[in-house]
Amino acid sequence: MKKIWFTRGLEWLYPPKCLLCGELLPLEKAERELCTRCKEEMPWITQLICVQCGRPLLSGEEMRCERCRQSAFVFDRAISVFIYEEIHQSIKRFKFRECKHDAVGLGKIMANYLKTFYADLL
Ligand SMILES: [Zn+2]
Ligand SMILES: [Zn+2]
């Protein structure tokens, strides 16, 4: 019981915000990562992707992007969840502004992406 009140007190002092746009989230909302608008407009990568780095392929590229064809990366395969340019503010906030607590929410979002688009890997 004390833990619930402590959590509620923290939420009142530091109300949950959308990880992508920073909008305040309702306290009673079960999911605490994204506002409704960001959830509906999530910039998931759903187009054809590079088999090595996971970035969307540009027109004229097949299987591997130009960057992967010209570079010797040490990994065989990566999966990109978002189009970076559309969520870079959120990533910068997480990396450089002491928003390390966003890691849990961002991890949940990425896990949901994998469950949705890469269920065969899990
Ligand atoms: Zn949002
Ligand atoms: Zn690539």
Side-chain angles (χ1 to χ4, degrees):
M1 190 66 172
K2 284 182 181 178
K3 187 176 179 182
I4 291 172
W5 284 106
F6 180 73
T7 302
R8 295 290 160 139
L10 283 177
E11 288 175 348
W12 186 77
L13 289 171
Y14 305 102
K17 295 179 180 177
C18 174
L19 293 175
L20 296 186
C21 73
E23 180 179 305
L24 287 175
L25 298 174
L27 290 177
E28 69 277 0
K29 190 173 179 184
E31 292 181 26
R32 300 294 172 99
E33 290 84 34
L34 301 170
C35 69
T36 305
R37 182 175 48 83
C38 287
K39 200 169 190 174
E40 289 173 2
E41 299 173 2
M42 180 67 74
W44 299 123
I45 292 178
T46 56
Q47 57 269 55
L48 290 176
I49 59 168
C50 171
V51 294
Q52 186 168 1
C53 73
R55 294 172 62 159
L57 292 172
L58 300 175
S59 72
E61 293 178 332
E62 291 182 26
M63 301 291 283
R64 293 176 134 204
C65 68
E66 187 65 28
R67 191 175 73 150
C68 285
R69 276 190 256 138
Q70 294 183 356
S71 305
F73 292 116
V74 295
F75 59 87
D76 293 328
R77 184 176 184 195
I79 295 172
S80 299
V81 175
F82 305 112
I83 297 170
Y84 179 75
E85 290 75 14
E86 295 188 27
I87 66 152
H88 72 280
Q89 293 297 343
S90 176
I91 300 299
K92 284 181 181 174
R93 192 173 51 241
F94 166 65
K95 288 173 77 175
F96 304 116
R97 288 196 199 159
E98 299 299 321
C99 293
K100 303 304 181 205
H101 57 277
D102 289 356
V104 173
L106 290 170
K108 284 181 185 176
I109 293 168
M110 289 190 278
N112 286 336
Y113 176 85
L114 291 176
K115 281 188 216 167
T116 305
F117 296 102
Y118 292 90
D120 56 319
L121 293 179
L122 302 175

